[in-house]
Amino acid sequence: DGLILCDQCTDLHNPNVIRASVGTRFTVPTFEAEGTAAISWLRQQKIKIVATTPAADTLFTAADLTVPVAIVVGTEQLGLSAAWLEAADLRVRIPMQGAADSLNVAMATTLVLYEALRQRTGSLN
């Protein structure tokens, strides 16, 4: 339903970001906030925080993503901050084979968002 960009790790107005969004940058409500403010707001709205991390026990496909959730992803280099991991109501992981322990953040986000949509609609045929 929307995007909250926290702690300014990406410039939403960068031409490369706009080009990579294929126009969706202008169709999805987007907000910028400090992480602590976003966590507080999500709590007030009773939105569960689902943190993505390779250290999680729960597979993203096993999580209930039908309830109001904020799917939180970190940077490719550093992952999520300790504050986000501690605030998470649930931590999920994407199974990986081989030596890699993480995906490109866009790919990881796509997989988890696709699963949330699949769960909410019953299928994506």
Side-chain angles (χ1 to χ4, degrees):
D1 295 323
L3 171 71
I4 304 172
L5 180 66
C6 297
D7 303 324
Q8 199 69 25
C9 59
T10 301
D11 176 6
L12 284 175
H13 309 291
N14 182 298
N16 293 329
V17 171
I18 293 171
R19 187 173 28 265
S21 79
V22 195
T24 59
R25 165 67 183 90
F26 303 108
T27 63
V28 175
T30 306
F31 305 92
E32 295 181 70
E34 293 297 318
T36 53
I39 290 167
S40 177
W41 184 84
L42 292 167
R43 291 277 180 252
Q44 290 171 358
Q45 303 304 311
K46 298 190 182 345
I47 297 172
K48 292 188 183 271
I49 297 172
V50 177
T52 56
T53 174
D57 293 327
T58 304
L59 292 178
F60 76 107
T61 53
D64 179 4
L65 302 176
T66 62
V67 298
V69 295
I71 298 168
V72 184
V73 297
T75 65
E76 293 159 11
Q77 181 182 8
L78 303 174
L80 285 170
S81 69
W84 279 106
L85 290 171
E86 290 170 14
D89 297 295
L90 178 64
R91 297 176 188 183
V92 298
R93 69 180 171 86
I94 298 168
M96 303 282 297
Q97 291 188 6
D101 67 352
S102 68
L103 293 172
N104 166 283
V105 70
M107 294 299 114
T109 304
T110 299
L111 286 169
V112 181
L113 289 175
Y114 184 91
E115 178 61 16
L117 186 60
R118 186 195 67 76
Q119 287 183 21
R120 292 167 185 209
T121 62
S123 74
L124 290 176
N125 293 330

